[in-house]
Amino acid sequence: MDLPIVVGVDGSEPSLRAVDWAADEAALRGLPLRLVYASLWERYEGDALAHELGRQSQQVRAQDIVTAAARRAHRRRADVKVLTDSLPEEPEYALVRESRTAALLVTGTRGRGGMAEALLGSVSLTVAGHAHCPMVIVRGSHDNAVRPGGRIVVGVGEGAPVRFAFEEARLRGASVEAVRAWRSPAHETTDHPLLAGEPARLHEQEAAQALEKALRGTPADVEVHRRVVEGHARTVLADASRDADLLIVGARRRPQHFGLQLGRVAHGVLHHSVCPVAVVPEHDG
């Protein structure tokens, strides 16, 4: 049985843009689309309206939300099978659990214009730090359609994000830009004219070697461009997202660690990327 692409919906415009993106991705992969709304709030705040409508409180707005999302998905991709569910629980817990049986988990940003829209909502941020499958947060105010061709950027660390980038590139017929950022520590700099630049060249060379190691076994049918860039990785990748269709980063998973499992790089690009961001789990042993 094919695992579905799961989308967390909440009735907001960012979540509906996530439905559009996920419907395109489901069509590319030939997978069903599962739309999930989860909330405890409705069970308490919706009592009056529920009484008027003669419906259970947790179903009043929840059913409206998943129905609207399903209609949006059908309009976008009529050939994709769409399933819906509404769950009376905290969305963070529900979506992390859903990620155990999903091929991909998709959410939008959560905000209402201006600076709120620019920053990532707490639900998406929490789920990105704990999801068991790759997760895509659909950023950007334009139509983030999954288009044939295009450019996929991957921040190169471990192997899982690179493999995911190759998979996406094949689905879309896109090229991959593999980026490795590097910095020369401040204590290694020197003003001596004969030594200036040597520490920097060493770190640049090490970054280039790490990039080549990560790209060993690149499929012959995937076009890959390599970039080694000086600077903070989160800044370099956010800049690279400006003309990309998808930005891919890794997130380390530590089985015995229960806190937020997003590093500074993933956290930074999730707040500042211009395009959708895929967070791919990298598991410690």
Side-chain angles (χ1 to χ4, degrees):
M1 180 179 177
D2 290 331
L3 296 178
I5 292 177
V6 174
V7 189
V9 298
D10 62 8
S12 67
E13 182 56 31
S15 82
L16 292 176
R17 290 200 296 268
V19 169
D20 290 343
W21 191 96
D24 289 348
E25 184 77 10
L28 282 179
R29 292 174 175 243
L31 296 178
L33 191 63
R34 176 171 161 80
L35 309 176
V36 175
Y37 173 71
S39 176
L40 282 176
W41 181 85
E42 297 277 332
R43 300 181 67 180
Y44 305 102
E45 302 296 330
D47 287 340
L49 180 58
H51 181 72
E52 279 190 35
L53 298 176
R55 293 158 66 180
Q56 295 181 26
S57 61
Q58 65 266 35
Q59 294 177 342
V60 173
R61 187 161 168 260
Q63 189 58 50
D64 295 338
I65 287 172
V66 295
T67 297
R71 288 174 180 164
R72 178 106 168 202
H74 282 303
R75 287 197 302 269
R76 184 79 172 195
R77 292 287 185 173
D79 55 332
V80 170
K81 181 180 180 181
V82 178
L83 310 168
T84 63
D85 204 355
S86 56
L87 306 172
E89 58 185 303
E90 295 287 359
E92 294 92 336
Y93 299 125
L95 293 176
V96 170
R97 188 185 63 249
E98 290 281 333
S99 74
R100 292 182 179 274
T101 54
L104 187 67
L105 180 63
V106 182
T107 68
T109 56
R110 191 63 169 90
R112 297 294 183 185
M115 182 57 68
E117 181 82 8
L119 299 178
L120 192 66
S122 61
V123 171
S124 291
L125 193 62
T126 299
V127 177
H130 294 87
H132 299 274
C133 69
M135 177 180 178
V136 173
I137 295 88
V138 179
R139 294 195 56 85
S141 58
H142 56 287
D143 178 16
N144 287 299
V146 175
R147 291 177 287 270
R151 172 174 165 267
I152 292 170
V153 174
V154 56
V156 173
E158 301 298 327
V162 172
R163 290 191 295 272
F164 185 81
F166 291 159
E167 178 184 5
E168 284 294 310
R170 279 175 156 165
L171 286 170
R172 306 174 185 212
S175 64
V176 172
E177 181 174 315
V179 179
R180 178 80 178 199
W182 65 274
R183 297 191 71 219
S184 180
H187 69 273
E188 293 188 11
T189 61
T190 177
D191 294 329
H192 194 289
L194 297 180
L195 298 178
E198 288 298 333
R201 279 195 289 272
L202 175 61
H203 288 285
E204 183 178 14
Q205 184 180 39
E206 290 175 345
Q209 291 171 348
L211 181 61
E212 288 303 319
K213 181 180 178 180
L215 295 176
R216 287 176 186 169
T218 297
D221 58 344
V222 176
E223 179 184 351
V224 177
H225 304 278
R226 295 157 170 80
R227 282 185 64 207
V228 177
V229 185
E230 182 180 10
H232 290 286
R234 57 188 180 273
T235 303
V236 169
L237 293 174
D239 288 344
S241 75
R242 296 186 185 282
D243 57 352
D245 296 286
L246 181 65
L247 172 60
I248 302 171
V249 295
R252 181 70 63 189
R253 296 289 185 263
R254 302 172 181 86
Q256 304 305 318
H257 179 70
F258 300 100
L260 185 62
Q261 298 192 38
L262 279 180
R264 287 178 295 177
V265 174
H267 191 278
V269 299
L270 283 175
H271 280 292
H272 300 294
S273 173
V274 178
C275 72
V277 178
V279 179
V280 179
E282 300 176 289
H283 296 279
D284 282 346

